[in-house]
Amino acid sequence: MQTLSQSEENYLKTIFKLSYLSSEAASTNSIASEMSTSPASVSDMLKRLSAKGLINYEKHRGATLSGAGLPYALHLVRKHRLWEVFLVQTLGFRWDEVHDIAEQLEHIHSPELINRLDKFLGHPRFDPHGDPIPDATGNIAQREEIPLHDLSVGSKGIIVAVANHTSSFLQYLDRHQLGVGTVIEVLERFEFDASVKIMTDARSTVVLSEKVAVNLLIQPTSKTNR
């Protein structure tokens, strides 16, 4: 593998996040927004990564990872998510504290360290936010998950992931005792603002805004109408 700068690695990981699951190209503006930088800076970096053969880039369509670039991105995602598991499970960090620390640790270039970390943690398949962890060969676990916003009244499910990883959102969920593994049932949906009332396995009820409901990913345990 080529030796890449931290900035180049961060771009590959961002393109993976924006384009891998949707199979659509990551636009210059979406990358700029995700990385809090200017579109002009993004364009310069995309040209550099394209010249290295790591992405497929067309000016007005955006960027996708090439066959050569995908392994880099998967390896970075694997390291980041394993470090998040370690920070939460072993060092006792909260799930809203680990992202920035893992951002630093993911750039350590030691495959042996990551393999040993994976073994030490028991080969976890998902990180503390419910995101799948690629294995050593780049395979990613698949499961059914849909936004809480799409569950019909009377449906039940388990929170398996969160789409928003900001500290403020995770702290909001903590205040309402909502986290990965929480069992919920949709009690009522309000047409006025698309908010939803749910009951948790702790028998507490809470009304969640549409913004919250679209960022909670649920594995249904009873039949739903989408």
Side-chain angles (χ1 to χ4, degrees):
M1 281 190 170
Q2 305 176 52
T3 300
L4 304 179
S5 68
Q6 289 191 14
S7 180
E8 289 172 327
E9 291 183 337
N10 287 337
Y11 269 87
L12 291 178
K13 191 176 68 168
T14 299
I15 294 168
F16 173 86
K17 176 181 179 181
L18 294 173
S19 69
Y20 182 68
L21 291 179
S22 68
S23 299
E24 296 181 358
S27 70
T28 299
N29 287 337
S30 64
I31 296 171
S33 176
E34 185 74 22
M35 301 189 71
S36 300
T37 189
S38 69
S41 296
V42 172
S43 294
D44 289 343
M45 178 59 80
L46 295 183
K47 291 175 184 176
R48 185 192 311 175
L49 294 173
S50 179
K52 291 187 174 185
L54 299 174
I55 65 170
N56 304 307
Y57 172 56
E58 294 181 31
K59 185 174 181 180
H60 298 294
R61 292 190 64 251
T64 58
L65 295 167
S66 68
L70 180 59
Y72 282 95
L74 286 169
H75 187 52
L76 284 165
V77 169
R78 170 175 163 80
K79 289 191 290 182
H80 182 99
R81 294 176 181 175
L82 283 172
W83 282 121
E84 287 195 338
V85 175
F86 177 77
L87 291 167
V88 170
Q89 291 189 1
T90 307
L91 299 186
F93 283 87
R94 299 191 310 271
W95 69 336
D96 62 291
E97 297 177 314
V98 296
H99 177 76
D100 289 345
I101 304 172
E103 284 279 305
Q104 300 172 54
L105 292 169
E106 72 185 30
H107 296 292
I108 297 175
H109 295 289
S110 173
E112 181 60 24
L113 172 63
I114 297 306
N115 289 336
R116 292 194 184 196
L117 178 64
D118 186 31
K119 182 178 180 180
F120 173 78
L121 295 170
H123 307 290
R125 298 174 66 207
F126 300 93
D127 74 9
H129 307 107
D131 292 321
I133 301 173
D135 66 18
T137 60
N139 292 316
I140 299 178
Q142 303 293 324
R143 67 182 170 202
E144 181 184 11
E145 55 184 44
I146 62 174
L148 172 59
H149 178 69
D150 292 346
L151 287 181
S152 59
V153 173
S155 296
K156 298 179 181 179
I158 303 169
I159 298 174
V160 292
V162 293
N164 184 326
H165 294 180
T166 60
S167 295
S168 59
F169 181 67
L170 299 177
Q171 290 164 9
Y172 172 88
L173 295 181
D174 282 340
R175 285 196 295 273
H176 292 286
Q177 297 181 308
L178 298 171
V180 173
T182 301
V183 178
I184 62 94
E185 179 181 358
V186 178
L187 299 179
E188 191 173 358
R189 187 178 300 282
F190 302 96
E191 183 178 350
F192 173 71
D193 60 357
S195 59
V196 59
K197 183 179 182 180
I198 66 169
M199 181 170 63
T200 71
D201 47 5
R203 308 303 294 178
S204 62
T205 60
V206 59
V207 175
L208 302 175
S209 69
E210 181 181 18
K211 185 175 181 179
V212 172
V214 298
N215 280 291
L216 284 177
L217 302 180
I218 310 297
Q219 186 174 61
T221 56
S222 66
K223 194 170 183 178
T224 62
N225 296 316
R226 303 187 193 178

